Amino acid sequence: MRILSLFSIFFLVCFSTPSIFAKEVETFDLDTSQLPTVKALEIIDPSLASIEVVENRYGISLSGTFTRTVGINGFPGVVISPDGFIVTTAKNMEDALRINVTIEGEKYTASLVGSDKFNDVALIKVDNADTLFKAASFGDSDKLTQGQTVIAVGRPLPKQQAATRGIVSALRDYFLPNGYLMPNMIQTDAHNFTFNRGGPLIDLNGKIIGLMSFSVQENQGTPQYLMTSVLDLNFATPSNIVWDSVYKMMQGEEVFHPWVGVGLRPLDDTLAIYANIPEDYLGKSGVMVQDVDPNSPASRQGLSRGDIILGLTRVRRLYNGEENTSEEIVSTPLELAGLIRDSHPQDTLGFVVLRSGQVEEFLMSPEDRPEEALPGTV
């Protein structure tokens, strides 16, 4: 009995009066309403769209186009105008014929307005919209800085938002899977999952600064004991490029992708000395032609592999009939690619080329890049 009494006292002391052994923890309500990420998601939420591809093209025969009912939903998009224009990626809308979209819980039919496969941008529009939608705002992607917080947002289900947060890991020119060189592609560690691929990448003000496009997984050189480790690189198309594409589509215009058909490689010091580059250009410029697409303006005008491009002159015809001439010395492939990419169909490009010790100029106008272009050419 004495043992039982002592045990009873011990039990009562330990479990009935915990304040003897530990101070009570004060509790409070966590207010998340003022967190920057929460506020940004609240701003973008009314503009998010959930896209369903009801039917797409399945094949073509002599009797016409085969279609199939697929009912694939969960493609993300974002409303960019009150009358119902919606942006997503071209990959999401590939071969789409019948489309439904859900915005703020309401379902609408929509139509594909245009698709820019090279920049991976597609534009759809709600059919006969009687309501005005909440349009998201575009930010200036040229003002992004490395380390800036960004959020990738999507709507996997009609009434459900999902997001991943990260930073701008890098801003770099990148060859897309289709071989097209994209300028200032946004690399981010905000993960690019199915639910947000084609959705907006936003800043902390809730503005669109990119469109989530694709991911690259790299595990080359991974040690045996880390075989499950994968480097996941996520990329978004910059908002300024997205806007340039969708604005042209809204106007019923084709998106022009300037291309002359040359693949380039850097010219190191050893090659520069061996090639006898003139003193006026030595140490300042030089890009070697590595490939030439046989069906390109460069090929038709006589550029060939091994040529060294020293500079570029551009004659731009203005709307008033005047001409504006600029001359650039090029030192890297990306620099030359950028000059070509900024050209217009009516421009005349003059490539200053060193060949067999002689400096020549090759004149050509850029063409719209064909889908069958040699990968890596600009």
Side-chain angles (χ1 to χ4, degrees):
M1 290 297 292
R2 180 177 177 79
I3 295 175
L4 181 61
S5 298
L6 291 174
F7 179 78
S8 300
I9 295 172
F10 178 78
F11 180 85
L12 291 172
V13 170
C14 289
F15 296 98
S16 299
T17 58
S19 60
I20 296 177
F21 298 97
K23 184 179 179 179
E24 292 185 6
V25 178
E26 182 180 357
T27 61
F28 57 93
D29 293 331
L30 180 62
D31 181 12
T32 61
S33 62
Q34 299 305 309
L35 292 177
T37 51
V38 173
K39 296 176 74 173
L41 292 175
E42 288 177 350
I43 292 172
I44 197 68
D45 187 71
S47 304
L48 294 178
S50 180
I51 305 171
E52 176 189 10
V53 177
V54 182
E55 185 179 47
N56 68 3
R57 293 181 182 87
Y58 187 61
I60 300 176
S61 71
L62 294 176
S63 60
T65 301
F66 291 106
T67 64
R68 62 176 176 178
T69 302
V70 288
I72 303 175
N73 55 22
F75 289 131
V78 58
V79 179
I80 62 167
S81 70
D83 55 345
F85 279 105
I86 300 169
V87 171
T88 186
T89 56
K91 287 191 291 290
N92 286 348
M93 295 296 101
E94 190 171 11
D95 296 324
L97 290 176
R98 286 200 297 133
I99 304 167
N100 289 335
V101 296
T102 302
I103 305 168
E104 293 196 282
E106 296 293 329
K107 181 177 284 190
Y108 308 88
T109 61
S111 301
L112 181 64
V113 176
S115 180
D116 178 1
K117 293 184 178 180
F118 290 118
N119 288 327
D120 197 19
V121 177
L123 183 68
I124 63 179
K125 189 178 187 303
V126 175
D127 296 328
N128 302 318
D130 295 326
T131 58
L132 293 179
F133 299 97
K134 174 68 174 178
S137 300
F138 277 84
D140 186 353
S141 56
D142 289 341
K143 295 182 179 179
L144 288 175
T145 57
Q146 188 178 32
Q148 180 177 337
T149 298
V150 290
I151 311 170
V153 196
R155 196 179 289 287
L157 296 173
K159 296 183 179 181
Q160 185 181 51
Q161 183 195 90
T164 59
R165 188 186 72 166
I167 63 169
V168 175
S169 304
L171 295 165
R172 59 190 179 114
D173 292 359
Y174 194 89
F175 278 107
L176 301 187
N178 58 21
Y180 178 68
L181 182 63
M182 177 71 76
N184 289 323
M185 200 71 174
I186 304 170
Q187 180 184 324
T188 176
D189 60 346
H191 287 289
N192 195 1
F193 295 116
T194 302
F195 68 79
N196 61 18
R197 188 172 299 124
L201 182 71
I202 63 173
D203 61 15
L204 293 182
N205 294 316
K207 292 186 177 182
I208 304 170
I209 47 88
L211 192 69
M212 296 300 290
S213 179
F214 69 97
S215 297
V216 177
Q217 292 185 336
E218 299 179 355
N219 59 2
Q220 296 179 353
T222 304
Q224 186 67 34
Y225 59 87
L226 291 176
M227 286 306 291
T228 57
S229 175
V230 175
L231 178 60
D232 191 11
L233 306 178
N234 309 283
F235 290 92
T237 304
S239 60
N240 289 355
I241 292 178
V242 174
W243 175 249
D244 285 343
S245 290
V246 299
Y247 181 77
K248 288 183 174 67
M249 294 182 207
M250 287 178 178
Q251 307 303 313
E253 301 176 10
E254 294 291 330
V255 182
F256 182 71
H257 304 92
W259 175 78
V260 297
V262 290
L264 306 170
R265 60 163 291 181
L267 186 66
D268 58 33
D269 293 339
T270 302
L271 284 174
I273 295 173
Y274 177 77
N276 294 320
I277 290 182
E279 290 186 5
D280 291 345
Y281 294 97
L282 190 61
K284 302 177 183 177
S285 68
V287 174
M288 181 172 283
V289 177
Q290 182 168 269
D291 295 296
V292 178
D293 188 302
N295 300 310
S296 67
S299 177
R300 290 192 293 272
Q301 296 304 317
L303 275 178
S304 61
R305 185 172 183 177
D307 285 342
I308 297 174
I309 300 174
L310 302 174
L312 181 73
T313 62
R314 178 171 56 196
V315 178
R316 173 159 292 172
R317 291 170 179 81
L318 305 178
Y319 292 106
N320 59 7
E322 296 181 359
E323 293 184 349
N324 182 10
T325 302
S326 61
E327 299 180 5
E328 300 286 347
I329 293 177
V330 294
S331 56
T332 67
L334 291 179
E335 185 178 14
L336 179 56
L339 293 172
I340 295 171
R341 188 171 47 235
D342 290 339
S343 59
H344 297 169
Q346 67 274 16
D347 292 350
T348 299
L349 303 179
F351 290 83
V352 180
V353 172
L354 179 67
R355 176 187 289 179
S356 301
Q358 301 295 319
V359 177
E360 306 177 43
E361 186 175 23
F362 295 79
L363 300 177
M364 66 195 75
S365 293
E367 295 181 357
D368 192 20
R369 182 186 181 92
E371 290 191 26
E372 64 275 10
L374 187 66
T377 55
V378 296

